[in-house]
Amino acid sequence: MMTAHSPDSAIIHRMAMGDEGALAELYDRHGTLAYSLACAVLGDPRDAEEAVADAFLQIWTTAGAFDPSRSSVAGWVSVIARTRALDRLRARRRRAATVERAAAADPAGTALPVAGATDPARATEATELRAHITAALDELPAPQRRAIELAYFGGLSHSEIATELNEPLGTVKTRIRAAMDKLRVALAAYTQQG
Amino acid sequence: MTESHGWTDYPAPFALGVLDDEDRVAFEAHLAECEACRSAVQAFRQTAAALAWSAPVRVPSAGLRARVLHEAASVRPIGAAARGGRAERASEAGAGSSRVASKTWLAAASLVLAVAAAALFVGERGARRGLEATVARMQDEAGLTAAHVAELGADLAFRDSLLAWVLAPDTRTVRLTAQGRPPSARIFWSMERGRVVIAAFDLDPAPAGRTYQLWGIAGRRAPVSLGTFNTAADGRTIAAFDIGRDARFDVAAITEEPAGGSPQPTTTPFLVGGISP
């Protein structure tokens, strides 16, 4: 969990006071995370940019409402970025009148081994976090991982995942619950220090 | 609450946002009275948030950073020193304000809906608790607190100012239609004040890299751009444009154009309406 004196905390405080430079710093620290997440949800880099722009406008206007006791700043940014990306994904699904997971598109962004943060220490921290979470997901049985990805990146519900995978609803529920239990244990150290 | 209360399987999928509506509503009602489940949800939310880091790394363009900072410059964070009323900002920024105006309207609409929902459920204890749980969930997702409620109040004031303007005697109403089918739009037009407000309905957001553009056409002259706008995910928006006090037009039309708008229409208007003198 973020401490009261963490760099992120200071940035959020300055943003709440209307400091646009602080927004630039927050974007430099977490923009890549938000954009990567939006790309994973939407597939299309232009759609992802729209979602990220929406997200950071919301983050900017509600900075004073951020509650560090509920999540880290990175967690808060990712929740908002995911929500805005899923909004667009669902609107696109309505237009297409079909349910699809937009993972097949080829995002134009460049895949990098690090988070792209400008601060080397921050980049190292992000790389470690990313590696740990990837390892935790790799430990899951493939069906559990697939169900988690459809839920998190696809925004699908239990019944929608069951339809997508052509599996019984009860099976899907069990897989997701089991996977979340494992991830909670595996990621405990990281989610607590945020 | 004890471990045998029957809801122990719900916090994880709830935090992941994967519960179907019926299950979610039932669990939200339970959450309002179960501290153990609220704690479990909080823990699983952190687990779910960590999944963001599993997305393959993509580096955003430099243009996105510039855009984020540019858009932020047109609005103030909640509680920060105001630089002027929202209605003023909407008018002074012209086309560039449409995105902000849209969000402001949505925020105001959310407040109205929340009040309506509260009125509907008041007096019914279980349902009210469910509503409280829903609000708590929304607050958690969006990072909302009492400060945001203050913003919603300001947004409502903005909406009121728009309503007063719309009802002013010199404001004309123009309905833009596509042969009687959705989408539709209504324009509130004051030539004397040189201002136009457009409200669009059932209009899906423009595809990525595209935008909607409002045009005014006088006689046989070339169309004049009045501004660009886009709709929210629910297909609605309201946007205000300053067009100059001397502007006179006979027809208003909307086209879909490349992001940033075009000097002249590049597609056929899909919404058209005549402006009565």
Side-chain angles (χ1 to χ4, degrees):
Chain A
M1 196 64 62
M2 186 184 68
T3 66
H5 302 292
S6 71
D8 274 345
S9 175
I11 289 171
I12 292 290
H13 179 71
R14 286 164 50 209
M15 283 173 59
M17 302 298 287
D19 181 348
E20 292 170 17
L23 174 63
E25 289 181 38
L26 188 85
Y27 180 88
D28 290 341
R29 291 174 68 84
H30 301 298
T32 297
L33 172 65
Y35 181 71
S36 301
L37 174 54
C39 280
V41 170
L42 291 160
D44 185 285
R46 289 172 299 179
D47 274 357
E49 289 204 352
E50 295 291 328
V52 171
D54 284 346
F56 271 91
L57 192 62
Q58 179 178 343
I59 289 164
W60 167 246
T61 56
T62 61
F66 171 71
D67 182 353
S69 71
R70 296 177 77 92
S71 74
S72 66
V73 171
W76 187 53
V77 169
S78 68
V79 166
I80 293 175
R82 176 182 178 241
T83 304
R84 297 284 77 80
L86 288 177
D87 283 347
R88 290 189 170 272
L89 182 64
R90 287 164 182 148
R92 194 163 71 192
R93 282 174 179 155
R94 285 199 299 272
R95 278 202 299 272
T98 184
V99 174
E100 62 175 1
R101 175 160 182 257
D106 180 23
T110 306
L112 292 179
V114 298
T118 53
D119 176 358
R122 165 87 184 145
T124 301
E125 179 187 330
T127 301
E128 289 176 359
L129 182 56
R130 191 179 303 281
H132 195 83
I133 290 169
T134 300
L137 282 169
D138 286 344
E139 288 293 314
L140 297 178
Q144 289 184 15
R145 177 170 182 162
R146 176 67 172 152
I148 287 288
E149 289 176 341
L150 284 172
Y152 186 76
F153 293 112
L156 300 185
S157 69
H158 274 145
S159 59
E160 289 169 333
I161 294 171
T163 301
E164 178 79 9
L165 299 178
N166 196 26
E167 298 273 11
L169 179 59
T171 301
V172 169
K173 288 183 176 180
T174 301
R175 283 178 187 168
I176 286 180
R177 193 171 63 248
M180 286 294 284
D181 283 339
K182 291 174 187 172
L183 290 172
R184 180 180 176 182
V185 172
L187 302 177
Y190 288 87
T191 55
Q192 283 165 15
Q193 73 181 26
Chain B
M1 208 46 74
T2 66
E3 290 184 2
S4 60
H5 66 14
W7 293 99
T8 51
D9 291 345
Y10 283 72
F14 179 79
L16 191 60
V18 74
L19 286 178
D20 285 295
D21 287 347
E22 187 176 344
D23 287 341
R24 179 179 52 77
V25 170
F27 184 60
E28 284 174 346
H30 168 72
L31 266 184
E33 45 191 39
C34 182
E35 174 60 32
C37 281
R38 284 198 296 272
S39 296
V41 165
Q42 177 64 16
F44 277 116
R45 277 194 172 131
Q46 294 186 29
T47 304
L51 291 170
W53 293 95
S54 69
V57 178
R58 305 290 176 191
V59 179
S61 68
L64 179 58
R65 185 182 190 276
R67 175 182 167 185
V68 164
L69 298 180
H70 175 75
E71 291 185 350
S74 65
V75 292
R76 307 301 298 164
I78 308 159
R83 289 194 306 206
R86 288 178 174 270
E88 292 170 0
R89 282 203 301 279
S91 62
E92 75 194 13
S97 72
S98 62
R99 177 192 186 86
V100 176
S102 169
K103 291 183 176 303
T104 306
W105 182 85
L106 287 171
S110 300
L111 177 63
V112 172
L113 288 175
V115 171
L120 282 174
F121 285 113
V122 71
E124 189 178 342
R125 184 167 173 268
R128 188 168 68 243
R129 287 189 172 177
L131 181 65
E132 290 166 354
T134 301
V135 170
R137 180 174 59 84
M138 292 171 65
Q139 287 178 331
D140 188 74
E141 287 178 357
L144 303 181
T145 67
H148 194 219
V149 174
E151 186 202 33
L152 293 177
D155 290 335
L156 195 59
F158 166 65
R159 200 182 72 136
D160 285 345
S161 74
L162 267 184
L163 184 63
W165 183 82
V166 163
L167 296 176
D170 65 337
T171 298
R172 299 180 181 87
T173 300
V174 183
R175 180 169 169 77
L176 279 63
T177 60
Q179 297 179 332
R181 301 191 311 272
S184 67
R186 189 173 292 277
I187 289 180
F188 303 94
W189 192 299
S190 171
M191 293 185 178
E192 289 72 16
R193 302 186 199 194
R195 194 173 193 213
V196 166
V197 172
I198 180 169
F201 308 92
D202 300 318
L203 177 59
D204 282 336
R210 308 283 290 179
T211 188
Y212 296 119
Q213 192 160 4
L214 177 64
W215 305 90
I217 304 168
R220 293 174 178 269
R221 295 180 189 170
V224 174
S225 174
L226 304 181
T228 59
F229 65 95
N230 207 345
T231 53
D234 67 356
R236 296 184 173 205
T237 193
I238 185 167
F241 306 110
D242 280 347
I243 60 171
R245 295 188 179 215
D246 297 325
R248 294 289 184 273
F249 300 106
D250 305 308
V251 173
I254 297 173
T255 62
E256 182 188 302
E257 301 292 338
S262 302
Q264 284 294 301
T266 62
T267 61
T268 303
F270 61 90
L271 286 173
V272 179
I275 304 168
S276 58

